[in-house]
Amino acid sequence: SATATTRRGASSNYPGRRTGTNNRVHTPVEGSIRPPSSSDDGISRAQHLQSYLEDSTLQRSTRRVSSDDTTYDTVFQTTNGDTLILRVNVPLSSSFAAFCPAMTLAGVRVRHPWVDSSNRMRIIGYDPIQSEKNWKESGILLGDAVHAVVKHLQLNPPQVLEITDKGLQSIQTKQQQNGVNGNRIKTPPRTPFTNGTGSMSANRSRGGSSHDDAPPSYNVVAESTPAPQVTMPPIPDKYPQLEGLSRAELDNLLEDELEFMSLVHKLDVYDEIFCLGSSRLNENVRLAKENLERETKLKELRGEVKSLHRTLQSKMETFTQLEERQNAICAPPDKELTLRKLNKAKKEAFEESENLAETWVEDGGSIDDFCKEFLAKRKVHHVRAAKMEILKNSGGYGI
């Protein structure tokens, strides 16, 4: 059929499945020589495939679309409701380590910073798969690489320009199919925060940036912020779409992920949940824009606070130095040091009076002037000697 969304017969086609004019699956372009058991980096091709096909998140949405094990499709849904297919090609070669996997978006034309629209919607923004050298040096498993790309495209949805695969078109949400005048609801792509360097585990272990102007880690904010209370629509007791199906048809529905998702997207309760999620997303976008509008002012205030903080630190250092000097000046003098200074000053006064007497004996002069000046200097000598005696006997500073 035109929708091609079910697997109820040998003639049913999987959305995005590459078929020729005779409805047979195309053989892969790469060679057919099996690789050795292990690669140069210690990870075999089988280990890469196992990490991808047995991933707890990707397993139910991943299936093989080639006659051999070179090409797989992973179906996922973005935060704006688009259902997309990530096609992963794992080349067969004499050494898997020499060839990095290729990833493309199948059955659509999109616009996104990570996608090369001129090269069959190939993923080029994720560093580990940009070249053979990057892939070999990254040392990550294929499952981690696919998980990283899918998560990024889910959180940063591409702008869907056209859906070229009818099967993929049939499983899009009702809101997108029934947009204004039949046009698709398009969401502009959001700029990614990272360039996709490293594996998922490496990105999670970093947790945040050490740069002063970087935003806080999402995990830190999520752990410290309580989850908002969201009123979810009630779960229906009956599903009219399932009442006419037989047991075998119900079993087939549970086994076929795409057919099951197609049914889910047609449920009214899903529409309500999707609208609720869209409203939350729009609210987040509004708040994010408000935060960006305040970014310049907040950076100016932050710079002003930093400047004031540096000024405060400089003044605190000056205050500490002045306080130390004040404490030294106001502290009681040392007794021994004071006695030594008084003794020195006493001797100086005595020498001055003796020099005055010798000068008068040699040169002569008025006896009245000599006596007046000599007694004044000798008095200073005796006062200082008396202070020394008092200080020695009293043990204090009451001089």
Side-chain angles (χ1 to χ4, degrees):
S1 65
T3 58
T5 61
T6 66
R7 296 189 303 169
R8 290 202 184 97
S11 61
S12 298
N13 289 331
Y14 167 71
R17 190 174 180 87
R18 300 178 297 173
T19 57
T21 55
N22 56 358
N23 290 330
R24 291 189 302 176
V25 178
H26 287 303
T27 57
V29 177
E30 287 72 26
S32 58
I33 301 176
R34 289 290 178 182
S37 59
S38 63
S39 60
D40 295 340
D41 59 359
I43 305 176
S44 66
R45 185 176 185 275
Q47 289 174 321
H48 279 291
L49 286 175
Q50 182 180 10
S51 70
Y52 175 29
L53 301 178
E54 296 183 4
D55 184 275
S56 59
T57 303
L58 304 174
Q59 185 178 25
R60 288 177 56 84
S61 301
T62 301
R63 65 182 63 195
R64 190 176 69 184
V65 294
S66 62
S67 58
D68 53 14
D69 61 348
T70 59
T71 308
Y72 295 85
D73 280 2
T74 296
V75 182
F76 64 95
Q77 192 172 45
T78 65
T79 52
N80 65 3
D82 287 322
T83 301
L84 301 176
I85 299 175
L86 180 68
R87 176 160 294 163
V88 182
N89 180 264
V90 186
L92 287 172
S93 174
S94 59
S95 176
F96 176 72
F99 295 93
C100 65
M103 303 184 192
T104 58
L105 289 178
V108 291
R109 289 179 54 250
V110 300
R111 182 182 293 117
H112 190 273
W114 274 27
V115 180
D116 184 3
S117 57
S118 63
N119 188 16
R120 297 182 297 178
M121 300 296 123
R122 181 162 182 166
I123 304 298
I124 59 172
Y126 186 57
D127 280 353
I129 62 172
Q130 286 182 351
S131 65
E132 298 174 6
K133 179 181 178 182
N134 288 8
W135 175 252
K136 192 171 183 179
E137 292 178 351
S138 68
I140 66 175
L141 291 170
L142 178 62
D144 288 335
V146 176
H147 200 289
V149 173
V150 169
K151 183 176 181 180
H152 180 82
L153 295 178
Q154 284 179 322
L155 299 179
N156 303 274
Q159 181 183 7
V160 179
L161 305 177
E162 181 185 2
I163 298 179
T164 57
D165 186 274
K166 294 182 179 180
L168 182 60
Q169 175 68 48
S170 67
I171 61 175
Q172 301 301 315
T173 60
K174 294 179 181 179
Q175 290 87 347
Q176 294 169 326
Q177 292 177 342
N178 300 327
V180 180
N181 296 327
N183 296 325
R184 287 181 45 78
I185 302 174
K186 300 178 181 179
T187 304
R190 285 169 279 182
T191 303
F193 290 112
T194 64
N195 196 26
T197 56
S199 64
M200 287 295 294
S201 58
N203 289 335
R204 287 193 292 265
S205 63
R206 283 192 288 268
S209 174
S210 60
H211 197 278
D212 289 341
D213 295 328
S217 167
Y218 172 80
N219 292 334
V220 173
V221 175
E223 291 173 0
S224 60
T225 305
Q229 297 295 329
V230 180
T231 303
M232 299 296 292
I235 300 177
D237 296 330
K238 297 181 180 180
Y239 296 91
Q241 297 88 342
L242 304 178
E243 292 180 355
L245 299 181
S246 64
R247 177 61 181 269
E249 290 174 330
L250 290 175
D251 291 338
N252 291 334
L253 181 63
L254 292 176
E255 294 175 359
D256 193 321
E257 177 71 15
L258 286 178
E259 187 176 355
F260 180 78
M261 291 301 299
S262 176
L263 173 66
V264 170
H265 291 170
K266 297 176 183 178
L267 299 177
D268 294 336
V269 66
Y270 175 83
D271 293 345
E272 296 180 25
I273 295 175
F274 179 81
C275 292
L276 183 61
S278 298
S279 65
R280 291 290 176 176
L281 177 62
N282 294 334
E283 179 67 13
N284 290 338
V285 171
R286 183 185 65 80
L287 293 176
K289 289 181 178 179
E290 291 180 0
N291 290 336
L292 290 176
E293 291 174 356
R294 298 173 183 173
E295 182 180 12
T296 303
K297 184 178 180 180
L298 290 176
K299 284 186 175 180
E300 293 176 355
L301 292 175
R302 184 171 180 269
E304 184 178 350
V305 170
K306 278 189 172 182
S307 176
L308 292 174
H309 185 258
R310 288 192 295 266
T311 303
L312 174 62
Q313 287 181 326
S314 176
K315 291 186 176 182
M316 284 297 296
E317 292 176 359
T318 304
F319 170 77
T320 302
Q321 296 174 358
L322 294 175
E323 187 178 33
E324 291 175 354
R325 290 180 56 190
Q326 179 188 21
N327 294 336
I329 294 173
C330 296
D334 182 77
K335 181 178 179 179
E336 296 297 329
L337 179 62
T338 304
L339 287 173
R340 287 197 297 269
K341 289 183 177 180
L342 282 173
N343 187 43
K344 181 180 179 181
K346 182 190 73 167
K347 291 181 179 180
E348 291 176 351
F350 179 79
E351 293 295 333
E352 288 179 3
S353 63
E354 288 299 316
N355 291 336
L356 179 63
E358 291 177 359
T359 301
W360 181 78
V361 170
E362 293 176 358
D363 298 339
S366 172
I367 190 171
D368 293 335
D369 294 340
F370 165 72
C371 290
K372 183 178 180 180
E373 188 175 355
F374 178 80
L375 290 174
K377 291 186 179 294
R378 188 53 67 93
K379 180 180 179 181
V380 172
H381 165 73
H382 290 295
V383 168
R384 291 173 179 174
K387 288 182 177 181
M388 288 181 64
E389 291 296 327
I390 294 173
L391 184 58
K392 289 179 181 180
N393 297 329
S394 65
Y397 302 94
I399 308 174

